[in-house]
Amino acid sequence: MLQNDNKARKRCELAGTHRGSAKERNMKTNIQIPLRIGNPPADLREWVDEQLLVKLALDAVQTLDWPAAATDRNELRPQMMLTLLSYCYAAGIYGSADIAATLRSDRVLHYICARAYPDGRELRHFRRQNRERLQHCLAYIFKEAWELRFEEAGIDPLGCAWFETELNQNVAAAIQERIELAMLMDGVESD
């Protein structure tokens, strides 16, 4: 535990909260650490490639506990539906009818659905019934994407109070915005 605290302190020091030695100051200026996290793009595929976004959506769903229930073969699996909506919302596709219309032609969505193609009504219903799970999955995806962006820059700010606070605020805002956009799009589609 003490070793982890020292690592977190060192990351914060390199993020500009410590004067340190000349070597550390040079490291700071060479890295050019962004001091603000900012908002994610509307399409997270600007930050991570398509395959990685699918993997993050699949991984996010696996972090949830699911009740052991026998499902009918014709029934849509909740894990698939959650993966589909999580991926689509992270990729900037919000309308349930838009998602349903592209399931068979988009190779990624086709892969996620595995030959079970929900319609717009089923997607809207699932979103309403599983909002908390969807929020959990989107939070996982956004946090992982942000962490990967910092890793690419050679920065590991985890454990720094400013990072955790700002990350949680931005994740919550991004999730709220995407779910509201989906609800808005679904309201327009049903008219």
Side-chain angles (χ1 to χ4, degrees):
M1 183 70 169
L2 183 59
Q3 187 178 15
N4 288 341
D5 289 343
N6 288 336
K7 286 181 182 179
R9 189 174 307 116
K10 188 67 170 175
R11 288 190 299 264
C12 290
E13 289 170 359
L14 292 175
T17 59
H18 170 73
R19 292 275 181 221
S21 68
K23 182 179 179 183
E24 287 174 334
R25 284 192 302 273
N26 287 336
M27 286 175 59
K28 287 187 287 186
T29 57
N30 290 339
I31 294 175
Q32 299 298 317
I33 296 172
L35 292 178
R36 293 287 166 237
I37 294 173
N39 296 320
D43 184 347
L44 209 53
R45 294 173 292 187
E46 292 178 26
W47 282 5
V48 297
D49 69 33
E50 200 169 64
Q51 288 179 326
L52 182 54
L53 188 55
V54 170
K55 182 186 180 322
L56 291 175
L58 289 165
D59 290 349
V61 172
Q62 295 304 311
T63 65
L64 292 168
D65 290 327
W66 293 91
T71 58
D72 182 8
R73 285 184 168 209
N74 296 325
E75 186 179 317
L76 296 167
R77 289 184 41 234
Q79 293 90 340
M80 179 276 294
M81 295 282 282
L82 190 55
T83 302
L84 176 65
L85 288 179
S86 297
Y87 173 85
C88 287
Y89 292 178
I93 308 166
Y94 305 109
S96 297
D98 294 336
I99 296 168
T102 59
L103 288 177
R104 294 175 195 265
S105 60
D106 183 286
R107 65 179 179 77
V108 173
L109 300 184
H110 187 81
Y111 168 78
I112 291 171
C113 288
R115 296 189 178 115
Y117 304 108
D119 61 27
R121 183 188 54 76
E122 291 168 319
L123 291 168
R124 280 189 300 278
H125 178 74
F126 184 84
R127 185 198 64 236
R128 286 184 203 117
Q129 298 299 313
N130 294 277
R131 184 175 179 147
E132 285 183 22
R133 286 186 170 145
L134 182 57
Q135 289 171 326
H136 170 86
C137 289
L138 288 171
Y140 178 91
I141 292 168
F142 286 130
K143 286 180 179 182
E144 290 294 316
W146 258 301
E147 190 174 324
L148 290 168
R149 282 188 58 80
F150 276 97
E151 281 179 14
E152 285 178 6
I155 305 165
D156 185 10
L158 296 177
C160 298
W162 69 268
F163 178 80
E164 296 293 331
T165 300
E166 192 167 326
L167 177 66
N168 289 332
Q169 290 171 350
N170 287 10
V171 165
I175 292 167
Q176 183 69 25
E177 177 184 12
R178 287 162 197 255
I179 290 178
E180 286 176 2
L181 280 169
M183 291 166 54
L184 179 66
M185 294 293 295
D186 286 347
V188 169
E189 291 169 356
S190 63
D191 289 341

